[in-house]
Amino acid sequence: MVVGEFTTEVDVLVIGAGPGGYVAAIRAAQLGKTVTIVDKDEVGGVCLNRGCIPSKALISASHRYEEIEASGEMGITAGEAKIDFPKTQEWKESVVKKLTGGVQSLLKGNKVEILSGEALFVEPDQVRVISGYDVNRYKFNHCIIATGSRPIELPAFPFGNRILSSTEALNLKEIPKRLIVIGGGYIGVELGQTYAKFGSQVTIIEGAGQILPGFEKSTAQLVVRNLKKNNVEIFTKAMAQKAEQTEQEVTVTFQVGEETKTVTGDYLLVTVGRKPNTEELGLEGIGLAKDQRGYIQIDNQCRTNIPNVYAIGDIVPGPALAHKASYEGKVAAEVIAGQNSAIDYKAIPAVVFSDPEIASVGLSEAEAKEKGIEVVTGRFSYGANGRALGANKTEGVVKIIAEKDSGIILGGQIAGYEASNLIAEVALAIEMGATLEDISLTIHAHPTLAEMVMEAAEAAAGHGIHSLNK
C-alpha cells in the first residue's frame, strides 16, 4: 500500500463524468444510493467539453453566417457578413461553461460526491484514485465504468502540429484557408462543412463508396449536394497514404483507383472513428472481460463478468452516441437499485448535424427486407410542406418504414431542416409499438414541419392527402 493511502467505503462508485457517468450517478442517487463519481478531466466528459456541444455551437454559428450572406432571396440585405472567429470561439466556450456548470450543480444537488483523479482497479471491489501526489483507495459495493472514448490515431498521421483530431479542430484560433479531412463519417462531414461555410477550401478523403456510409445513399446525396455548393471537394474509394508537414502547411498523398493524388492544406483533420478508453484502468488485473478491440462485454443489464461492476457508453459495443450512454447509465443505476431494467436498442436515433441534417431510427428499408419482413414505405418532401417553404428550407424528405400487414412502425429516416428534432416522434412510435394509423390519426398542428411525419405515415398507408398515392 502507498504510504499515506487510506481506504474509504462507498456504495456506488461511478468512473467517468460524461453523459453516461453523470446521468448514472444522478439516477442512482435519486433511487436512494450514496454515490461517488470520479473523473480525471472535466465534468461533462468529451460530449460537453470537446465533442457534441462545442461542435454544434460552431455548426450553428456557421449556419447563421451563411444565412446572413444568403438572405437576399427573402428581400433582406445586411451588407457584407464578417466573422470574428476568436469571438465565436469565446461564445462557444461560454455555452460549454454553462452546461458543465449545470451538470456540477445537478450532481451536488443530488448529493453526489465529486472526485478529481484517475481511477485504477486494484481489486474487483476496490480502486485507487490518483490525483497529483494524493493516492486514496475506495472500496465499493457497486461500480459503473463510463470512461468514454477518444479519436483513433493513424500511425501514418500522428496527431500534432498540422495534423488534428476533432478536439484540436474545435479549438482553432483562426479559420483555415484550406482544410483536409480524412474520414467522411459524421464527425468529418460536420466539421468539414462547418469550416467550409466559414470560407475554408475543404477536401474530404473517404475510403468507402460514399460519405456518411451508415446512411442510405439517397440521403447522403443531399448532403453531398450542399457540400459541393460550399466548394467542398470529395474523394470516395480513396486511401490516404502519408502526410508531409512544414511549419505552415501539410500535404497528403492519397490513392484513388490507380491514380496517386496530393492535396495541400493549412491543417489535416483525421476523423476515422473512436476507440474505447479501457487500457489504463487495471481491468486485466481483476479479470474483467474485454474483446479484441478493447470493448467491455456486458449483459442486457450493463453488468460485466464481475457481478458488481457495470459498464456503459463508448466502452461497450454499439454506436458511440451520448444519448446511448445516458440511456445505459439509467439502466445500470436502476439495476443496482433492484429494479428489473434492461437495455433495448431498437429505438436509438442517430443524427448527423450536416446541412441538411439527417437522422434515422429503427430499421432501414433494406435492413427490414434482410430480416425477411414485408414492408410498406411512405415519403413526404420538404418542398411540399408549408412551414419548410416559409422558412426557405425545401431540401429534404421524411421516410417511414412499417410492417405491411400490421402497419407497425419499424423505422424512419429524415433528411432536412430540423431532422434532429423530427426524428423523436418516429422513435417514440417505435418504442410504443405504434402503427401508421396511430400517427395518421394524431392531429398535427399546421403549418409545422411535424406534419411531414403524419403525411409520410398516410402515404405509407395508401391514403396520403398532399401527395399522390401509388
Side-chain angles (χ1 to χ4, degrees):
M1 183 177 289
V2 177
V3 175
E5 182 178 327
F6 63 93
T7 301
T8 302
E9 294 192 4
V10 299
D11 188 5
V12 178
L13 178 70
V14 180
I15 302 174
Y22 84 73
V23 169
I26 290 172
R27 185 68 182 126
Q30 289 175 342
L31 293 170
K33 297 296 180 181
T34 302
V35 185
T36 298
I37 192 168
V38 58
D39 198 302
K40 64 180 180 179
D41 293 315
E42 314 94 331
V43 167
V46 169
C47 179
L48 264 66
N49 293 280
R50 299 178 297 282
C52 322
I53 300 305
S55 67
K56 276 50 182 185
L58 285 186
I59 288 168
S60 295
S62 73
H63 285 319
R64 187 75 61 87
Y65 178 68
E66 184 180 50
E67 285 169 1
I68 291 171
E69 287 197 317
S71 295
E73 189 175 344
M74 292 182 171
I76 301 170
T77 55
E80 182 185 357
K82 296 180 180 179
I83 182 167
D84 181 344
F85 197 61
K87 190 170 182 179
T88 302
Q89 289 284 25
E90 286 178 15
W91 169 77
K92 178 205 76 179
E93 290 304 315
S94 73
V95 173
V96 171
K97 188 175 180 180
K98 286 176 185 175
L99 286 172
T100 54
V103 171
Q104 284 189 329
S105 296
L106 287 168
L107 288 167
K108 291 176 181 177
N110 282 278
K111 297 181 172 56
V112 175
E113 182 186 15
I114 304 171
L115 300 177
S116 178
E118 193 165 355
L120 177 70
F121 281 88
V122 291
E123 300 287 347
D125 64 347
Q126 291 184 47
V127 298
R128 180 177 287 137
V129 176
I130 304 162
S131 180
Y133 293 105
D134 295 328
V135 181
N136 295 295
R137 281 195 184 221
Y138 288 83
K139 188 176 186 300
F140 55 80
N141 294 323
H142 310 275
C143 179
I144 301 173
I145 308 172
T147 47
S149 62
R150 65 188 184 278
I152 292 174
E153 186 172 20
L154 298 175
F157 305 96
F159 297 136
N161 300 321
R162 296 277 156 180
I163 302 178
L164 314 175
S165 73
S166 56
T167 300
E168 292 82 40
L170 286 168
N171 291 307
L172 289 174
K173 300 303 180 186
E174 76 284 343
I175 297 169
K177 291 183 174 63
R178 302 160 300 170
L179 176 66
I180 307 164
V181 181
I182 295 178
Y186 73 95
I187 297 175
V189 167
E190 286 182 356
L191 292 180
Q193 194 169 39
T194 293
Y195 279 110
K197 287 178 181 292
F198 283 139
S200 300
Q201 175 58 56
V202 176
T203 302
I204 297 176
I205 301 168
E206 167 58 42
Q210 67 171 63
I211 63 166
L212 303 172
F215 289 85
E216 292 183 357
K217 188 173 183 179
S218 59
T219 300
Q221 200 58 37
L222 291 170
V223 180
V224 170
R225 188 189 308 162
N226 274 2
L227 284 167
K228 289 182 176 178
K229 285 181 183 177
N230 294 130
N231 299 314
V232 176
E233 193 168 16
I234 302 169
F235 293 93
T236 56
K237 296 183 180 178
M239 298 303 294
Q241 296 174 324
K242 64 178 181 178
E244 297 173 329
Q245 299 188 64
T246 67
E247 288 186 7
Q248 288 80 33
E249 60 187 23
V250 55
T251 299
V252 175
T253 301
F254 61 102
Q255 192 85 16
V256 184
E258 300 298 319
E259 188 177 1
T260 299
K261 294 178 174 288
T262 61
V263 59
T264 299
D266 302 329
Y267 294 100
L268 166 62
L269 168 60
V270 180
T271 61
V272 293
R274 301 183 67 83
K275 64 187 298 185
N277 293 326
T278 55
E279 299 98 327
E280 299 178 358
L281 294 168
L283 302 181
E284 295 80 7
I286 63 169
L288 193 141
K290 297 190 291 182
D291 66 16
Q292 291 182 339
R293 297 187 300 161
Y295 290 98
I296 297 174
Q297 301 301 292
I298 58 171
D299 64 14
N300 69 344
Q301 292 188 313
C302 301
R303 189 182 286 107
T304 70
N305 62 307
I306 298 175
N308 64 328
V309 178
Y310 300 75
I312 61 172
D314 292 4
I315 58 172
V316 303
L321 299 170
H323 46 278
K324 169 180 171 286
S326 297
Y327 167 71
E328 290 167 342
K330 293 173 189 175
V331 170
E334 288 165 4
V335 171
I336 287 171
Q339 296 187 8
N340 191 30
S341 297
I343 50 179
D344 178 0
Y345 296 133
K346 71 177 180 181
I348 292 185
V351 177
V352 182
F353 291 86
S354 50
D355 182 12
E357 291 181 354
I358 58 178
S360 68
V361 67
L363 298 177
S364 68
E365 183 177 357
E367 288 169 338
K369 288 178 178 178
E370 284 173 10
K371 291 178 177 289
I373 304 171
E374 194 172 2
V375 300
V376 290
T377 64
R379 297 167 63 92
F380 195 82
S381 170
Y382 272 64
N385 175 262
R387 184 72 181 93
L389 283 162
N392 200 26
K393 301 289 185 181
T394 57
E395 285 186 313
V397 64
V398 175
K399 179 179 179 180
I400 285 183
I401 300 98
E403 189 176 39
K404 184 176 182 180
D405 291 338
S406 67
I408 292 174
I409 308 295
L410 301 175
Q413 288 87 44
I414 303 175
Y417 179 56
E418 293 289 347
S420 55
N421 290 320
L422 294 176
I423 200 67
E425 181 175 359
V426 185
L428 179 61
I430 296 170
E431 183 66 31
M432 293 182 65
T435 65
L436 294 171
E437 185 180 32
D438 291 324
I439 292 181
S440 299
L441 293 177
T442 300
I443 300 172
H444 289 63
H446 175 76
T448 63
L449 297 174
E451 287 177 281
M452 291 186 289
V453 178
M454 176 189 69
E455 300 274 13
E458 289 181 339
H463 52 80
I465 300 299
H466 295 101
S467 60
L468 294 175
N469 298 297
K470 295 180 182 179

